[in-house]
Amino acid sequence: MTLNSTFSIGVSGLLAQSTKISSISDNIANVNTVGYKGFTTDFLSLVQDSSAQVSDYYYGARSTTRQNTTIQGEISGSDRGTDIAINGDGFFIVTPDTVAGSSFMYTRAGTFSPDMDGNLRNSAGFYLQGWPLDSMGNLPGALQGGSYDIGTAISNLELVNIATSDSTSVPTGSVAVRANLDADQTLYNPTGQIAFAANPTAGDTITINGITWTFVASGATGNQTNIGSSLDVTVRNLVDNLNASTNAAITPASYSTTLGNNLKVVYDSMNGSAATFTLASSSINATPTQLLLYDPAVAANNMTSGAIQSHFNRSVDIIDNNGIKHTANINFLKTAVNTWAVELSAIPATDITTAGGQIASGTLTFNGEGSLASISSSLSAPITFPWTSTGTTPANSTTATTNNTVTFNWGTAGQIFGTPGATVIGRADGMRQLAANYIVDSLNQDGHAAGSLQRVEVSDDGIVKAFYNNGVSQSIYSIPLAKFNNPDGLNNISGTAYLNSDDAGIINYFASGQSGVGDILSSSLENSNVELSSQLTDIIIAQRAYQSNTKTVTTADDMLQTVTEMLR
């Protein structure tokens, strides 16, 4: 080994250590850069081919630098809904501009926000790419099912743009009802009365369900009542006699007095239909009012008119084709064991053309354990809402109002579980009847008025969601992630981004959470994976090594100077 080779060895050491110091400096400079991946410098020894016929072969060092692309950075939270991070091996797919056909680049820097045109762009100026979703939140057909090639994945990518994502009005087409009706609710019992204007005289009669009841001065027996000193006393005597009667025509009802001069008659529906139970009087001093029988088709006998109070009711919004909100009431009345009458009515009644405001009526029945047994066809078939405004064009619209046709989903009706040969089993997935309080789990309709965009967020499954001032949210894009066989083989470019290379291996695009590509985390950012304390330690070591290599060069210089002086 000669003095010249000593110089070369020292210089190679200086160059190697300067590379180390440069990579450490770059790491420290980017310690707060989102998505930055730190560099590591490795050293290799240099040896001249020892087989060569020379006596002056020498040693030295060479450095190589690699980026730690696969090392995960720490995830931190963010207040911005469009900031996203990746927990895993994937990369966001971006382009340097908005021009169609621009080359794809890849980054972990998820500091995205809308630009002036509504395109999501990160702080380095790269534009996010995504797969567009239809109005139902579905991927393009070629991507559904998860079986697609890279060409299909690429051809369906487009700029994630939220500028034109205002929400148009959608008329209500379906309503899903999930609620409990109290199984302990007593049945609806029709009520009637006989109002007395004066104390009856001996021989006056009333007729209850075909049985004549006579007022006598005294000594009442059988179907008779003694006349008291006042009307109040007489009516009380009548109430006691009727309630004590064992006559099968009298016993289906219970009797009481109201205001001291009225006989109140309440028919117990557990005894069957009250349709033939009538009241009459032979005296002008007694006026009968017949039992208020439930009949959904008669305004004077239904819930829609208010003549009969429902046992339970809830309202639901119905949106027409112009985005105008209407209100419909759903009324429930228990009319028999496990049987409930249902009426749909408009609020107000004048909102529809049907007199009285009733939209539909029918019956729900339940199995003994509370599951839904049957639904009237009038309730399960599509129901038309005949708006009074149909055919007219509201202000700020160019379209005439049309009737809504709405399908109500009451749940799965069928036979009780365990029934031999049952083809459909009743479930409690919609309406149910349990011995518990009335409760509405959900009452959802699929219509909404037009709305303007309020904000955009990216969910944890990589879905870009737009939120509107009408309370509606819409999934508009799915953000795919790129996966490489060898991420460390990517070419690093400015802006904390990468270009594909042959060394990176096969590339695939997957939705968040699929095929090991990693998970997108919303309102989060991936910090630099640089560990500052270790970098500060490494730079001190590299500095000492650099200084030591300078000593090698100066020592060799001194030795050469000595030899030179010997020749003088």
Side-chain angles (χ1 to χ4, degrees), residues 12 16 42-47 60-64:
S12 71
D42 298 318
F43 294 94
L44 304 174
S45 62
L46 291 176
V47 181
R62 180 170 64 89
S63 62
T64 61

Side-chain angles (χ1 to χ4, degrees), residues 47-117:
V47 181
Q48 185 170 330
D49 188 359
S50 60
S51 65
Q53 299 300 312
V54 294
S55 60
D56 190 24
Y57 64 88
Y58 59 87
Y59 302 84
R62 180 170 64 89
S63 62
T64 61
T65 300
R66 55 186 170 86
Q67 192 163 20
N68 302 315
T69 309
T70 57
I71 298 177
Q72 177 76 45
E74 181 181 348
I75 303 296
S76 61
S78 168
D79 293 332
R80 190 161 55 185
T82 53
D83 281 344
I84 46 179
I86 302 171
N87 183 24
D89 297 333
F91 294 82
F92 299 117
I93 306 162
V94 295
T95 55
D97 50 48
T98 60
V99 178
S102 295
S103 60
F104 292 130
M105 300 182 296
Y106 307 94
T107 184
R108 302 272 294 194
T111 52
F112 293 102
S113 60
D115 67 3
M116 61 182 296
D117 297 317

Side-chain angles (χ1 to χ4, degrees), residues 12 23 69 109 135 165 195 201 206 209 257 310 351-353 373 387 407 410 416 458 475:
S12 71
S23 66
T69 309
S135 60
S165 61
T201 59
I206 59 173
N209 198 22
T257 180
S310 64
D351 206 15
I352 63 173
T353 57
W387 306 122
T407 299
W410 306 97
I416 192 170
V458 181
S475 297

Side-chain angles (χ1 to χ4, degrees), residues 514-544:
Q514 294 183 358
S515 302
V517 74
D519 298 311
I520 291 177
L521 305 178
S522 64
S523 298
S524 302
L525 292 172
E526 181 185 9
N527 299 325
S528 165
N529 65 358
V530 172
E531 174 56 47
L532 182 59
S533 59
S534 65
Q535 297 298 308
L536 294 175
T537 301
D538 288 347
I539 200 170
I540 293 173
I541 296 172
Q543 179 190 18
R544 296 301 185 193

